[in-house]
Amino acid sequence: MPSFLSAWLKYARKSNQTSKEQKETNMATEMNMSKGMGMSKEMGMPKEKTGMSKEMSTNGRGGHLYMQSNEVKNCIIHYHRSANGALAEVERVFTGGAGSGRISPIYHIARPNHYEGAGSVRLTQDRRFLFATNGGDNSVSSFAVDTEGWLTLLDVKRTGNPQNGGAKSVAYAPSSGTLYVVHTFGPDHIRLLSVDDEGNLTPRPEKYSVSTMEWPNRVPTMAVLSPDGKFLILGTTFDELPSRKNPDGSLILWIPRGNNGELHSIASNAPDPDGIIVFPVGADGALGEPSFYDGGGASPFYIAFLNNRPDTFVIGEAVSDGLAIGRIDADGKVTVGPVVPIDTSGGVPSELCWLAVSPDDRLVFATNFGYSYLSSFRIDGNVLSIAKDPACPKVPGDGTFRAIDGVVSSGPSDNWLTPDGEYLYQIYGNASKLVGYATKPDGSLEEVTSVAIPYNSPEGLAGF
């Protein structure tokens, strides 16, 4: 471990035991330390860090939001969230690992959504720990979260995946203290780390793949544990990474395949019905043999379980441009209903990926990477329908990025909905914005706040 990181960890652990008043003094010291570590002015603490108003206190309806910068010197950006939805940045804490920086490890160009995934920043249910992937060096960082939301770096460890870059999603099983880390590049797409009671990480030898005999280089997107903790479920986006481009730089999802050179889609689950992978989870956190299921549409990207129906989830179908409802039974068998598409007159695919489910399970907000806005769906029993499409105005980027549909996009990625369902926060990487919306009963979104974020690179949102 680098000497500066060892010193930082010792200092962080010590400062985490101090009183609130002393912690504020220590954070001023951390700012000075950061300068000595090559931290830019932008990486420093806001000048008015200590000025948290009563409105922003977690005693009301406010709270905290965390996002990783995914810069080469990666950090977690911590925001206080006020009762009216407004965000104020209060600290940036180094992860001790390397982010992707300006260049995507997948596409080798500057673009938003480096990870083609979701869930790179996760809070434990008891809010004691926060975990974040470092996509530049395949490591994971753990942080202590105190009662007021402040972070202290506890540990950082490599996952063991030898492919440079690509760690992008984490899921945590508290019953066994196991962290599951999903990588873009296989064959060991999933690596495991043990988490002790102090938040220290220990890499484990197990490794698992989502590839098949026909497609040895598949690309998973994220992992989520079933609510009962018995199964780890993964979404996928590609059966192999796109290697062909249109003249405008947008990606081509069709490749010649077979003796006759017939075109075949590389979007997962299209047409091969194997886009969702389910692993049984053992008592010690180890995974059993995977089963492959029909994801219902092309590129079943994002899986979100409903809050009040533990056997039911929704899937964002990135290349089928819509949402589907799925179920998992007691044996881990998955069935998925029909896809309900959005309006795709703007071009296909819309790359509908990231989802947020309302606390009452009546609304789902879906991020359209290719369209630069969100759409919303209504759930009535097992029936999906469009609520608002679009649900908010388009957020333009800087004009330099085109999605697969060829449309100039700001490349929105991860979103997060507050536990009360009142506010939704959305990353727009190519616009360098994190936008907060008030949610409306009809499924529409009204912008209430916007803060500047690093260009293109940010990933992951988690909060309380």
Side-chain angles (χ1 to χ4, degrees), residues 13 128-129 142-144 154-155 195-201:
R13 288 192 174 102
R128 287 188 62 209
F129 302 122
S142 66
F143 298 83
L154 297 174
D155 200 3
V195 184
D196 70 14
D197 193 54
E198 301 301 318
N200 298 305
L201 305 174

Side-chain angles (χ1 to χ4, degrees), residues 150-187:
W150 301 105
L151 300 179
T152 300
L153 178 63
L154 297 174
D155 200 3
V156 55
K157 289 292 192 331
R158 296 288 183 96
T159 66
N161 183 308
Q163 300 291 329
N164 188 33
K168 62 181 178 183
S169 180
V170 290
Y172 178 63
S175 60
S176 62
T178 304
L179 198 63
Y180 303 94
V181 189
V182 179
H183 302 73
T184 293
F185 308 111

Side-chain angles (χ1 to χ4, degrees), residues 13 80 134 150 166 169 176 265 268 313 329 336 344 416 420 437:
R13 288 192 174 102
H80 276 303
N134 297 296
W150 301 105
S169 180
S176 62
S265 174
S268 60
F313 54 89
D329 69 15
V336 178
T344 57
W416 181 75
D420 59 12
Y437 299 95

Side-chain angles (χ1 to χ4, degrees), residues 20 24 48-59 63-64 78-82 88 90 148-150:
K20 177 182 175 183
E24 292 175 349
E48 300 183 13
K49 173 188 75 69
T50 60
M52 181 167 55
S53 67
K54 184 181 294 185
E55 184 181 47
M56 294 175 66
S57 169
T58 55
N59 294 330
H64 303 270
H78 171 196
Y79 302 92
H80 276 303
R81 176 174 56 83
S82 72
V90 293
E148 295 184 346
W150 301 105

Side-chain angles (χ1 to χ4, degrees), residues 185-208:
F185 308 111
D188 45 340
H189 290 111
I190 307 171
R191 297 301 299 249
L192 277 56
L193 295 95
S194 293
V195 184
D196 70 14
D197 193 54
E198 301 301 318
N200 298 305
L201 305 174
T202 302
R204 291 172 52 163
E206 298 99 328
K207 49 189 176 182
Y208 307 90

